Amino acid sequence: MFRQLFVCACLAAPVCVAAQQPVVADTARSDSARAADSTRARAAARLAVVTITATPVQRAESRQAVAVTPEDIARAPATSPWELLRQTAGVEVHIQGQGPGFASDASMRGFSSDHSTDLALWIDGVPVNEAVNGHAEGYNDWSLIFPQAIQDMDVIKGPTSALFGNFAFSGIVNVRTLDHLDGTRAWINGGSAGHIEGTALSGFGNDSGSTGVVGARYVHEGGWRPHSDYALGQGHVRLVHDLSQSTTLDGGVELYGSRWNSAGYLSEDEFHAHDYDIVSNPSDEGHKLHAQERASLRVLKGNMLWRSTLYATQGDWRLFLTIPPAGGVFEGAGSQTEEDDKRFGFGATTALTWQLSRAELTLGAEGRFDQSHYQNWFTTDQVRDSSQALIRAHQLGGGVFAQAGIDVTDRLRFDLGARYDAIDTHSEPDGEESAQDSHGIFSPKVGALVKLTNAVGVYGNVSRGFHATDGVIEDPTLPFITVWAYESGVKLNVGGVNATAAVFRMDVSNEQTFNPLTSGSSNGGASRHQGVELSLRAPLSKALTLSGDWTFNDARYKKLIATAEDDETQVDTLSGLRVYNTAKYIGSATLEWTSPGSLWSAQLMTNAVGPYSPFDEPGVVLPAYALLHASVSHKIGKAELEIGVHNLLDRDYPELVAGGLVAPGQPFAIFGTVRYDF
């Protein structure tokens, strides 16, 4: 079945697609450009409520989601994509601090999300999570996001959308880049710890209906700890051409490269003593290269919209790191290891949407192929001692999906969706017999929203999600990790105030987590995640706005018993304990001052992490902490100057704790940015 699904997806996209682009083709264009193709724009507006992969979420949908606007992105005093999501969407992030290519942990609704594997990240309709990855299945490096090139993005809570399959477990982060920019825009950023960043974006357009954006970014970080410096570079190209009033061709390229040194982890005693100058192994370092190419086609005919995307990816990752014994199958050995991951992949998505008088219906398919060559070596000062894993693997996956929104009355809306996914994995370990297996899974999605008044609506939904199991690169027979998610809430939109309150519960089967007896992973358990989510954006006056997103969460293992491999009498149960690497609550709040007509603006922001359960410390809960950030900006002609402070109160805090070892958080840091529009 998986092969047929993949072939269907590819055949449906003979000229690559836009199954991932916003329905309104000119959302970022100037007024004159919109007027030039007003016929197509008016037709596309009828389809604006349809969500297909990269289309913005709508408030009328029966789900909890955070829409991060261009204004939110511009105001956030963030120097990395991780900080951007933490500050603008209240996403729980535990930064590894071992280099930009060593992906950190983003967690939603109490999922440990080792290297953000429980969250699906898509950039312009291309999936970023890496399949058949020996370090962590679904390895998800948010450093690939080009912050200044973002148009906007959505953070969807839970597996509620039928448009996303594997890895859309606890939620989805859906990034859309700029498709139009007037002139050229440049940024220069400098700050504490030798931070230097330069970025330039340039846009163009012509009367033939072509627009484009090209850009480059370079970052050098001296590191606030010894031996923690890094450098990274990025390139961005996006071209959009109107073939006719009804057909648009859209292509893009994303390039990324980084090299870093790693200071390593501290013991808890060293952290509490503020011994931040300790370097665990001065030979720890790494590099990463990544490229993504995409071509998309969008055709609009009357009330029908067809979008398809064809993409390819390439990656090269090499890492020397002394990792504590925690996390994935080969991830923690307690001594220095060398990990190499060379990969390539390609895929396609296609979707057809009909806009009816009281409903919209989307049918689509996707296919994806990934091939990786993963090596894990025990090393001493980068000299190989012996191999731990040498594996070549490839995975072929495909899915078909359907999603519909039906306005039964002006007060009642139903959201219905379903998808079927099939994945086939081949593993070829060096010196061992090859293995192959395939799995299929059905994921229904049902939701409803009732408008009590024009300003107040209540909603509920039930959905199923899945996640390929860590270690499938070595053992393709491992079954999916699955979740049933339940959510209900209230939405308010009145007088400029937008607010939501939701309660959720997520029941996980075949739970996988760290085994404290084997220092590896254990499967077959169950966990329950339940809590409350709140979001608010409210004007307090003409100049002052308050916004925030908070999640209060109780995530516990319902049944998880760990047994030693060589002695079945050694048993350790995690049943009833809090899920590793999660906090009881997380949130962010921002107070923004922007006076009408003023050239000045300012904001005060906090992000909080509640009592936190570290890896490999059953029953241990660390204290809560909150960080305060501030920034002030001033416009001078075509230039904008901003000065910001991260961790204004210089709070000592742990970003990540595992097995008694700590990745410390960055202390007080100041930065300044100059942006100029040519």
Side-chain angles (χ1 to χ4, degrees), residues 118-129:
D118 292 327
L119 270 170
L121 172 62
W122 290 64
I123 301 176
D124 280 342
V126 179
V128 172
N129 299 70

Side-chain angles (χ1 to χ4, degrees), residues 587-604:
S588 65
T590 302
L591 190 63
E592 179 191 355
W593 176 83
T594 305
S595 180
S598 174
L599 300 178
W600 290 89
S601 64
Q603 68 171 2
L604 191 65

Side-chain angles (χ1 to χ4, degrees), residues 43-84:
R46 297 198 302 271
L47 292 164
V49 297
V50 181
T51 302
I52 302 181
T53 310
T55 307
V57 297
Q58 304 293 322
R59 290 193 57 82
E61 295 173 353
S62 56
R63 70 184 63 161
Q64 180 79 333
V66 179
V68 181
T69 67
E71 293 75 22
D72 295 330
I73 296 168
R75 290 190 298 260
T79 57
S80 72
W82 305 96
E83 285 292 338
L84 182 63

Side-chain angles (χ1 to χ4, degrees), residues 113-123 126-133 136-142 144 164 166-169 171-173 290 292 311 313 343 368 370 395 467:
S113 199
D114 187 31
H115 297 295
S116 304
T117 56
D118 292 327
L119 270 170
L121 172 62
W122 290 64
I123 301 176
V126 179
V128 172
N129 299 70
E130 295 181 355
V132 285
N133 186 301
E137 182 66 15
Y139 188 88
N140 188 359
D141 189 359
W142 290 20
L144 304 181
F164 304 86
N166 197 8
F167 310 121
F169 198 71
I172 301 108
V173 176
H290 181 85
Q292 163 186 315
Y311 63 85
T313 60
R343 63 177 48 245
R368 175 177 177 178
D370 293 273
Q395 187 177 95
H467 184 320

Side-chain angles (χ1 to χ4, degrees), residues 102 114-115 132-137 317 319 321-341 374-378 387-392 427 429 432 470-475 478 512 514 518-521:
F102 192 66
D114 187 31
H115 297 295
V132 285
N133 186 301
H135 194 83
E137 182 66 15
W317 183 69
L319 171 73
L321 187 59
T322 305
I323 310 176
V329 175
F330 308 115
E331 184 174 345
S335 61
Q336 189 186 67
T337 58
E338 173 193 345
E339 291 187 75
D340 297 285
D341 182 89
Y374 176 76
Q375 302 179 59
N376 188 302
W377 299 85
F378 291 108
S387 63
Q388 185 177 195
L390 304 173
I391 306 173
R392 295 180 184 272
S427 174
E432 301 179 25
D470 196 25
V472 72
I473 184 176
E474 183 185 37
D475 183 4
L478 291 172
Q512 182 180 50
F514 178 74
T518 64
S519 296
S521 297

Side-chain angles (χ1 to χ4, degrees), residues 170-243:
S170 65
I172 301 108
V173 176
N174 190 20
V175 177
R176 293 172 293 274
T177 65
L178 293 166
D179 67 353
H180 179 78
L181 181 68
D182 293 326
T184 299
R185 185 173 296 167
W187 293 258
I188 298 177
N189 183 295
S192 302
H195 179 83
I196 302 173
E197 179 176 351
T199 304
L201 289 173
S202 184
F204 63 88
N206 56 45
D207 294 338
S208 66
S210 296
T211 63
V213 178
V214 296
R217 175 177 180 244
Y218 175 78
V219 180
H220 177 270
E221 180 76 38
W224 68 274
R225 294 179 61 197
H227 198 66
S228 63
D229 56 298
Y230 69 80
L232 69 84
Q234 288 181 276
H236 169 79
V237 178
R238 185 171 178 189
L239 305 174
V240 181
H241 178 66
D242 296 334
L243 299 176

Side-chain angles (χ1 to χ4, degrees), residues 135-153:
H135 194 83
E137 182 66 15
Y139 188 88
N140 188 359
D141 189 359
W142 290 20
S143 295
L144 304 181
I145 297 175
F146 193 135
Q148 293 86 351
I150 298 174
Q151 168 63 25
D152 55 15
M153 56 185 163

